[in-house]
Amino acid sequence: MKPTLLIANAISKQFGGVKALTDVSLTIRKGEIYGLIGPNGAGKTTFFNVLTGLYHPNGGELLFEGYKLRASAPHLAAQSGIARTFQNIRLFSNMTALENVMVGRHVRTQAGVVGAVLRDPQTRREEADIHRRAEELLHYVGVADRANDLAKHLSYGDQRRLEIARALATEPKLLALDEPAAGMNASETAELRVLIEGIRNDGITVLLIEHDVKLVMGLCDRVAVLDYGVKICEDVPAVVQKNPKVIEAYLGGSVA
Amino acid sequence: MMTFSFDSLRQDKRAAIAATVGIGLVLAVFPFIVGSALGNSWLRILDFALLYIMLALGLNIVVGFAGLLDMGYIAFYAVGAYLYALLASPHFGLHLPVWIIIPCGAVLAGIAGALLGAPTLRLRGDYLAIVTLGFGEIVRIFMNNLNAPVNITNGPQGISSIDPIHLGGVTLAKPLSVLGITVPSLHAYYYLFLALALLIIFVSIRLQDSRIGRAWVAIREDEIAAKACGINTRNIKLLAFTMGASFGGVAGGLFAGFQGFVSPESFNLMESIMILCMVVLGGMGHIPGVILGGVMLTVLPEFFRHSAGPIQQALFGKILLDPEALRMLLFGLALVLVMLYRPAGLWPSTIRRREFSSGTDKEGA
């Protein structure tokens, strides 16, 4: 069995009286593509936000590579190797595609004000590295030809890809994708699938929230299903598909 | 192909050097032209324009780059000015040299910037504007009231007879004689302010095109995404407040030495708004635009003041409206027109298209 990368231990999150997550525990292993599915409002994105430090959980803890992740510190989550994309794309709209990816390098570089002003050889080297790596990543996701266009002028599919490139720039060990195929047509989804498999083959573990059940079942090694903030199932896709609880959650009650 | 690109590169470099020398010459003789053509009052305006360029560039870091709406920026100008006034005037009997005071002013204003930034980190937009506005007023009111029980700022009377700026044994208050050329005081101040303005422009440009500058813009564009990219938004925002404020502190110190007098009056809300207008009107986040904004908003009101009287005299034979009142009216009208017809500012940044293939290093380094 592959070694463990992330352990979520009884994560709970409440918004007022609403229990968005109740004691959600799951284990993600190194090198797998792990799917997180569930009906709308099941708490998938809430789990993402807790994982990446945007929300403070009411209970439970996250162990990443054996170390406890500090709650509500998104930049530390990124530093320890968790990168994410957003359900409703959040790019830096008025920066070029290239600059967006260059921002992703921030967490792995260190030039400060003095370096920026004096532009000493070390800073120049670092800047050149940032530039080169950003270009490589744009090539990798396939939007290199739009490098100098503003992010907001890119097509929807390209924006999704650019967001993945920006996330990859932080050198993640775990890449969390929040509905990357939303709004994509069949051919774009097929290309995305190739991209995600490529990322996994490069040794990056992928956590995927997705509505496209066909994509999830075809792509993921293991899948967890959330319903009303509770994990109802976690297994390989073939088993998950046959689980009566999952069928009930998706189809709404027993079939009369 | 190779020789062609090398030739064009060399030509580019030559053109850049020629342009730099040309602009340098113009800037060098500019005060003499203005002084002889328009007189000393315009020379003073020119000196002030340089101070406002420094202020506008400082605020541009906070508002233009990091997108944090700061309505109390003048407070940092006040900190720099009062520090100079206290350390180089008969008020405390201290007469420290300028090269100590100005850096201290930058540091102290930077600390004030961090103090303003720390409690406002979670605020954005209009909420941040209100808090910073309050901060600016607090600083002014402090200056106004710190004359009792211990007299520190001399209250509303302000501090007068501040030492003029002197470098080494040379004072800028009297005409200088350099290589047989007599440089009047206002000209000398112009050169000093120009040098510091150029330094601030240089620092601004370098910061913009750096890891830190990109992080500022990222926070402006989407703070949550910036956090998810691993940017420590707290530190980077505090850095923006600190850097912006330190520019204001430098300008404030120069102002005190130039004017010879400071009082809380000079640091009211209207001044903060004026500097914000320079940034917004010039083109937020675009350094040449902000410089243009600084020049325009210093020169335009003065131009209206000087021209409103004579024009009325020529048109109607007498002065119908007080030029002083008319000046602000026309100025307001100009602001409205600019914002209507050029909402992105007079000189907004264009999408930077790199002419050469993206493989070449854009810095040419």
Side-chain angles (χ1 to χ4, degrees):
Chain A
M1 197 152 86
K2 291 167 185 165
T4 316
L5 180 67
L6 176 90
I7 299 171
N9 208 346
I11 299 289
S12 295
K13 175 70 191 173
Q14 278 175 289
F15 298 104
V18 182
K19 286 184 172 172
L21 293 173
T22 312
D23 292 338
V24 174
S25 300
L26 42 84
T27 306
I28 299 175
R29 298 187 198 126
K30 273 185 190 152
E32 70 181 351
I33 300 180
Y34 189 97
L36 188 59
I37 62 170
N40 280 328
K44 305 179 298 280
T45 299
T46 304
F47 180 79
F48 252 46
N49 286 342
V50 171
L51 171 68
T52 53
L54 288 177
Y55 288 164
H56 197 108
N58 297 101
E61 59 175 12
L62 291 158
L63 293 170
F64 189 70
E65 295 195 297
Y67 293 98
K68 200 167 173 256
L69 277 180
R70 224 179 86 190
S72 46
H75 66 277
L76 292 181
Q79 200 166 23
S80 43
I82 300 176
R84 71 170 292 176
T85 64
F86 294 86
Q87 191 175 344
N88 39 357
I89 307 171
R90 302 190 84 126
L91 286 167
F92 308 122
S93 338
N94 290 309
M95 296 173 96
T96 64
L98 186 70
E99 285 168 336
N100 266 273
V101 185
M102 288 169 84
V103 171
R105 294 298 299 153
H106 183 94
V107 71
R108 302 288 169 225
T109 47
Q110 46 228 311
V113 170
V114 177
V117 173
L118 298 181
R119 218 167 261 178
D120 53 304
Q122 198 193 333
T123 311
R124 281 215 302 269
R125 222 174 302 130
E126 189 180 276
E127 271 294 296
D129 281 348
I130 293 172
H131 201 266
R132 188 178 41 75
R133 182 74 188 129
E135 280 179 343
E136 282 171 10
L137 284 166
L138 284 179
H139 271 286
Y140 184 77
V141 301
V143 286
D145 51 331
R146 308 295 305 272
N148 294 329
D149 290 333
L150 293 186
K152 64 180 174 191
H153 293 151
L154 266 57
S155 72
Y156 185 80
D158 283 351
Q159 291 194 359
R160 287 254 176 236
R161 289 164 168 277
L162 177 57
E163 215 187 6
I164 294 174
R166 186 182 67 187
L168 287 175
T170 66
E171 290 172 24
K173 297 185 180 100
L174 175 67
L175 176 65
L177 303 172
D178 197 345
E179 298 200 20
M184 283 189 172
N185 61 30
S187 73
E188 283 173 325
T189 306
E191 285 173 30
L192 180 73
R193 185 179 165 153
V194 173
L195 177 63
I196 294 174
E197 277 172 341
I199 290 169
R200 188 258 299 272
N201 291 341
D202 288 345
I204 296 169
T205 310
V206 178
L207 169 60
L208 180 70
I209 291 184
E210 192 44 71
H211 266 310
D212 189 331
V213 175
K214 219 173 89 193
L215 178 69
V216 172
M217 296 305 174
L219 192 57
C220 295
D221 301 306
R222 288 190 309 138
V223 176
V225 186
L226 287 182
D227 190 29
Y228 293 110
V230 181
K231 190 184 81 177
I232 56 174
C233 179
E234 180 186 26
D235 216 316
V236 294
V239 177
V240 169
Q241 264 171 314
K242 297 204 177 73
N243 187 309
K245 277 192 196 164
V246 176
I247 295 168
E248 191 183 312
Y250 268 92
L251 295 180
S254 59
V255 185
Chain B
M1 243 352 240
M2 280 303 279
T3 40
F4 171 75
S5 68
F6 267 123
D7 271 357
S8 67
L9 247 172
R10 198 171 295 154
Q11 256 172 8
D12 265 11
K13 210 161 200 176
R14 237 180 250 159
I17 290 169
T20 312
V21 171
I23 292 171
L25 273 176
V26 170
L27 287 174
V29 297
F30 199 56
F32 289 95
I33 298 168
V34 171
S36 57
L38 298 164
N40 273 349
S41 66
W42 276 99
L43 260 180
R44 280 185 67 82
I45 294 165
L46 192 62
D47 288 351
F48 269 106
L50 288 168
L51 287 179
Y52 279 111
I53 287 174
M54 296 181 214
L55 287 170
L57 284 170
L59 187 60
N60 181 49
I61 287 185
V62 184
V63 179
F65 292 168
L68 304 161
L69 185 47
D70 184 351
M71 297 278 287
Y73 185 70
I74 203 70
F76 309 122
Y77 190 50
V79 167
Y82 265 90
L83 185 76
Y84 188 102
L86 295 175
L87 296 183
S89 74
H91 183 62
F92 283 148
L94 292 170
H95 297 281
L96 298 181
V98 65
W99 55 266
I100 291 178
I101 303 175
I102 297 290
C104 285
V107 170
L108 191 69
I111 292 170
L115 284 178
L116 164 68
T120 60
L121 284 168
R122 287 165 183 279
L123 304 176
R124 281 192 80 80
D126 17 17
Y127 303 101
L128 180 63
I130 291 167
V131 175
T132 51
L133 190 152
F135 178 82
E137 284 300 282
I138 287 170
V139 169
R140 186 179 63 83
I141 291 166
F142 257 98
M143 306 300 181
N144 216 12
N145 292 289
L146 278 181
N147 53 348
V150 186
N151 186 2
I152 300 172
T153 64
N154 209 23
Q157 284 92 32
I159 298 169
S160 50
S161 339
I162 298 169
D163 301 349
I165 293 174
H166 49 98
L167 298 158
V170 189
T171 171
L172 299 190
K174 296 191 189 87
L176 303 173
S177 165
V178 182
L179 306 168
I181 305 167
T182 314
V183 182
S185 166
L186 285 171
H187 295 56
Y189 273 110
Y190 168 88
Y191 291 123
L192 176 68
F193 291 3
L194 182 67
L196 282 161
L198 288 174
L199 178 70
I200 282 177
I201 293 170
F202 173 78
V203 171
S204 286
I205 292 173
R206 281 278 167 105
L207 281 174
Q208 180 177 35
D209 200 10
S210 74
R211 172 175 173 268
I212 302 289
R214 283 192 299 272
W216 282 334
V217 177
I219 289 175
R220 180 189 77 196
E221 292 292 315
D222 190 327
E223 191 168 343
I224 289 176
K227 279 182 185 169
C229 284
I231 293 172
N232 184 338
T233 53
R234 181 195 61 201
N235 291 0
I236 295 289
K237 276 184 178 182
L238 282 180
L239 187 62
F241 276 117
T242 307
M243 286 306 299
S246 66
F247 290 5
V250 171
L254 297 175
F255 166 75
F258 178 56
Q259 193 80 342
F261 168 71
V262 293
S263 80
E265 288 282 280
S266 312
F267 310 107
N268 57 30
L269 178 62
M270 194 57 208
E271 286 288 314
S272 280
I273 293 175
M274 203 67 172
I275 299 163
L276 187 62
C277 283
M278 291 171 184
V279 176
V280 176
L281 224 77
M284 259 200 271
H286 188 224
I287 293 167
V290 171
I291 296 169
L292 179 70
V295 174
M296 293 285 280
L297 263 65
T298 318
V299 169
L300 261 189
E302 299 300 329
F303 171 75
F304 288 137
R305 188 216 299 272
H306 284 82
S307 59
I311 289 173
Q312 287 186 57
Q313 198 81 42
L315 282 178
F316 311 114
K318 59 181 174 182
I319 290 175
L320 295 168
L321 289 167
D322 173 26
E324 196 60 29
L326 197 60
R327 151 181 106 100
M328 286 322 280
L329 186 74
L330 288 172
F331 179 64
L333 191 67
L335 294 192
V336 171
L337 289 177
V338 170
M339 281 293 99
L340 277 178
Y341 292 103
R342 298 206 61 113
L346 288 168
W347 190 356
S349 65
T350 48
I351 306 164
R352 282 156 290 154
R353 288 187 193 287
R354 275 121 212 181
E355 295 283 338
F356 302 105
S357 67
S358 46
T360 55
D361 189 347
K362 62 187 158 123
E363 291 312 318

